[in-house]
């Protein structure tokens, strides 16, 4: 038996019936959250024939960047702290390299949560078990029918890079796949 | 299963990531080869049953051309190699 006591004065704020439909039902991140990074630096880097090993080592030696594998002798260099011009200058100092700024042409999304693999399993057909795709791994993968880059940044956290013209589709698709776990989405703080 | 291709660069991938160009057996003739040789290279194809070699492009992955050796009856895949490696190890220096 419990008594329900209502406060004597109730204040009502006017709220349009479609408010949630427009703004989103959840305003704070749930355990499963899709974060869109506003302005990351993303460079596309290719190594000339014969310089693959040297370029790879030099890229990994750069500070404040993550190196994502696209294929043989091709990488995406991602940074949240160094601007595109400064990073491009640094990368182009490496011998046998061709580097281009793709920051405006690519969209970076970060998805995290305890069941993130179940969400991703609905829109990509690659085994993401840690035995075959360990934290730190990255690869070009078909994501929601779009050729993108997937990186595992933690046990239950992944980063997706897709071309900007397809970003809307991928974003909507991943949100839909995450409905089972009440996936929320928003811009990230950094 | 032919629906899973083990890319030498990317690992096991679904066939949706690839596009198939066709037979990898015909060798491109020299530019000054006769019309007969070019006609045969461009148009004349066998329709073999069993073990075949094909060019597959890993369009949604590493974007490399691969040579896939598979059986078109059982769908068994025997080998997947980078086309550049095949060309280098094959007939001569460069394709």
């Amino acid at each position: 038996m419990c008594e329900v006591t209502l406060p004597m004065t109730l204040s009502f704020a006017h709220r349009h019936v479609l408010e949630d439909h427009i703004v989103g039902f959840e305003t704070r991140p749930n355990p499963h959250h899709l974060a869109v990074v506003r302005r990351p630096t993303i460079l596309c880097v290719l190594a000339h024939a014969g310089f693959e090993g040297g370029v790879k080592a030099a890229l990994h030696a750069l500070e404040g960047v993550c190196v994502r594998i696209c294929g043989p002798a091709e990488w995406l260099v991602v940074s949240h702290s160094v601007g595109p011009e400064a990073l491009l200058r640094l990368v182009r100092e490496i011998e046998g390299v061709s580097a281009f700024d793709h920051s405006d042409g690519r969209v970076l999304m970060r998805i995290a949560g305890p069941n993130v693999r179940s969400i991703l399993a609905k829109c990509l057909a690659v085994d993401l078990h840690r035995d075959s795709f360990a934290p730190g791994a990255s690869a070009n993968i078909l994501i929601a029918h779009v050729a993108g880059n997937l990186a595992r940044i933690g046990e239950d956290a992944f980063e997706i890079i897709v071309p900007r013209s397809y970003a809307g589709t991928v974003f909507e698709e991943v949100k839909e796949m995450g409905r089972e776990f009440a996936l929320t989405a928003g811009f990230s703080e950094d | 299963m032919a629906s899973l291709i083990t890319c030498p660069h990317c690992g096991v991938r679904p066939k949706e990531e690839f596009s198939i160009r066709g037979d990898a057996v015909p060798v491109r003739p020299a530019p000054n080869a006769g019309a007969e040789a070019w006609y045969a290279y461009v148009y004349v194809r066998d329709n073999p049953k069993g073990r075949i070699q094909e060019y597959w492009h890993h369009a949604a992955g590493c974007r490399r051309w691969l040579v896939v050796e598979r059986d078109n009856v059982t769908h068994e895949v025997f080998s997947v190699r980078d086309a550049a490696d095949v060309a280098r190890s094959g007939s001569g220096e460069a394709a």
Side-chain angles (χ1 to χ4, degrees), chain B residues 31-88:
Chain B
N32 57 358
E36 281 289 299
W38 276 101
Y39 178 80
Y41 172 69
V42 175
Y43 296 110
V44 181
R45 287 287 182 276
D46 290 333
N47 187 17
K49 183 178 177 184
R51 207 162 163 145
I52 54 163
Q53 283 193 41
E54 282 175 325
Y55 281 119
W56 285 50
H57 185 230
H58 198 181
C62 55
R63 301 198 301 277
R64 300 284 295 187
W65 281 99
L66 310 171
V67 174
V68 177
E69 191 177 8
R70 68 185 183 94
D71 193 305
N72 60 10
V73 180
T74 63
H75 300 306
E76 189 182 351
V77 177
F78 301 104
S79 73
V80 184
R81 293 169 294 163
D82 192 295
D85 296 340
V86 174
R88 278 189 211 108

Side-chain angles (χ1 to χ4, degrees), chain A residues 70-91:
Chain A
C70 295
E74 187 182 344
W75 302 271
L76 288 176
V77 178
V78 180
S79 178
H80 301 291
S81 52
V82 190
E85 292 83 11
L87 191 56
L88 205 54
R89 231 175 293 128
L90 278 176
V91 170

Side-chain angles (χ1 to χ4, degrees), chain A residues 85-125:
Chain A
E85 292 83 11
L87 191 56
L88 205 54
R89 231 175 293 128
L90 278 176
V91 170
R92 284 186 173 160
E93 282 174 9
I94 302 167
E95 197 188 4
V97 86
S98 291
F100 307 95
D101 179 16
H102 281 202
S103 306
D104 294 317
R106 311 261 182 157
V107 169
L108 178 65
M109 292 179 255
R110 192 179 296 140
I111 183 167
N115 291 304
V116 66
R117 271 173 49 201
S118 308
I119 297 173
L120 290 177
K122 297 182 198 177
C123 48
L124 54 89

